[in-house]
């Protein structure tokens, strides 16, 4: 299936490792130009070179997405280098290790406020696109009780509310807004790999609670993100797609 992404330009935050890197790579393989950002300069440089080797335009910068100036500079540079912006993926997250006030502030500033700042920065460019699309990475932790009253799930839930309302607001402009909520996803050296090494009983109990009998793969998330970014999903907006192997038990209406 042709996703009609060839020649489009999509920006992805937190795009040098994990799901973000997988999304960027999948986009480049579709012939899509990509905007890359992360905090590690060497990783940004290496990722840009890998994407350029796939035959697409790629622009990357070291960015602190909680810093408006840094974020806006990256967005403007990407638009200039790539020739516009057709899509944006809010992928960067503070994670969920810190449950003190500092953690609540960090998750709010990274997962919610930075997403809002990013949307504001990319909107002028998306308005000029014939297929403007925004996709935010949330989590099943936003949907059901999981890991206790921690900032990660609460802020991912706030993100979903923001995305849903934004979809309604931007629909008259032809800009689509959707979310993806992955369940436990195994990535080498990622969070669940670390849990597997440090807390094997938590890893195994979580795996046993997934009817598919395994954790998800990054590719299973990125493929859905690409579909939502694609013009062929032109009537899909305001959706939250759960990718969890039936880990969550709610009935989705």
């Amino acid at each position: 299936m042709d996703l009609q992404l060839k020649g489009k330009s999509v920006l992805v935050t937190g795009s040098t490792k994990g799901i973000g890197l997988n999304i960027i790579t999948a986009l480049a393989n579709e012939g899509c130009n990509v905007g890359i950002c992360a905090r590690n300069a060497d990783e940004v440089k290496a990722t840009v070179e890998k994407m350029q080797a796939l035959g697409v335009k790629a622009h990357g910068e070291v960015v602190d997405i909680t810093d408006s100036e840094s974020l806006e500079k990256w967005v403007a540079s990407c638009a200039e280098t790539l020739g516009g912006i057709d899509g944006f993926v809010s992928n960067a997250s503070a994670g969920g290790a810190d449950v003190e006030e500092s953690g609540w502030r960090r998750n709010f500033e990274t997962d919610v406020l930075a997403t809002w700042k990013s949307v504001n920065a990319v909107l002028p460019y998306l308005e000029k696109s014939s297929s403007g699309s925004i996709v935010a990475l949330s989590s099943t932790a936003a949907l059901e009780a999981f890991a206790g009253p921690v900032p990660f799930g609460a802020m991912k839930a706030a993100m979903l509310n923001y995305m849903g309302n934004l979809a309604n607001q931007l629909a008259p402009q032809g800009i689509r807004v959707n979310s993806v909520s992955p369940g436990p996803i195994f990535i080498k050296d990622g969070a669940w790999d670390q849990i597997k090494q440090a807390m094997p009983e938590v890893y195994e109990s979580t795996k046993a609670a997934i009817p598919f009998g395994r954790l998800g793969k990054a590719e299973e998330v990125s493929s859905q993100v690409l579909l939502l970014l694609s013009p062929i999903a032109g009537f899909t907006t305001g959706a939250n797609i759960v990718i969890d192997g039936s880990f969550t038990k709610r009935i989705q209406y």
Side-chain angles (χ1 to χ4, degrees):
M1 179 183 293
D2 179 9
L3 294 178
Q4 300 175 21
L5 288 169
K6 186 174 183 179
K8 302 289 186 182
S9 298
V10 176
L11 278 56
V12 183
T13 58
S15 40
T16 61
K17 59 179 64 174
I19 291 174
L21 176 59
N22 201 276
I23 292 171
I24 281 286
T25 305
L27 286 167
N29 281 326
E30 290 289 329
C32 185
N33 303 316
V34 292
I36 298 156
C37 80
R39 295 193 179 200
N40 185 292
D42 291 339
E43 291 177 356
V44 169
K45 182 176 182 293
T47 303
V48 168
E49 291 174 351
K50 288 179 183 177
M51 299 308 107
Q52 290 174 336
L54 294 175
V56 300
K57 295 179 183 177
H59 179 77
E61 294 181 14
V62 175
V63 177
D64 176 358
I65 64 169
T66 67
D67 178 73
S68 298
E69 184 177 352
S70 174
L71 181 63
E72 291 168 4
K73 176 180 175 294
W74 170 65
V75 170
S77 297
C78 284
E80 181 178 358
T81 303
L82 305 180
I85 299 173
D86 301 291
F88 171 70
V89 180
S90 179
N91 171 69
S93 173
D98 187 352
V99 297
E100 302 302 321
E101 181 177 342
S102 56
W104 284 91
R105 290 184 180 279
R106 185 165 177 253
N107 273 100
F108 170 69
E109 290 175 358
T110 306
D111 292 68
V112 180
L113 192 57
T115 298
W116 173 77
K117 290 179 180 179
S118 300
V119 167
N120 288 343
V122 300
L123 263 181
Y125 303 101
L126 294 181
E127 289 170 349
K128 299 174 184 178
S129 172
S130 61
S131 56
S133 179
I134 298 170
V135 179
L137 271 289
S138 184
S139 168
T140 52
L143 310 176
E144 289 188 344
F146 178 73
V150 298
F152 178 75
M155 296 307 154
K156 288 300 189 184
M159 175 192 281
L160 288 178
N161 184 278
Y162 171 58
M163 287 292 117
N165 280 281
L166 188 66
N168 186 267
Q169 183 181 56
L170 296 182
Q173 298 170 246
I175 299 172
R176 299 180 301 107
V177 182
N178 294 287
S179 302
V180 168
S181 291
I185 304 296
F186 187 87
I187 298 167
K188 182 173 173 53
D189 299 324
W192 280 101
D193 193 5
Q194 294 172 21
I195 291 171
K196 183 178 182 180
Q197 303 305 319
M199 298 179 286
E201 69 285 352
V202 173
Y203 178 86
E204 291 300 331
S205 65
T206 302
K207 177 181 174 183
I210 301 173
F212 266 29
R214 64 173 177 84
L215 273 66
K217 304 174 184 177
E219 293 84 354
E220 292 167 326
V221 178
S222 62
S223 60
Q224 183 63 67
V225 172
L226 261 65
L227 179 59
L228 291 172
L229 289 169
S230 167
I232 68 173
F235 205 55
T236 301
T237 192
N240 175 43
I241 309 300
V242 176
I243 306 172
D244 70 346
S246 201
F247 179 56
T248 53
K249 301 303 184 283
R250 65 176 190 149
I251 304 300
Q252 297 181 47
Y253 291 102

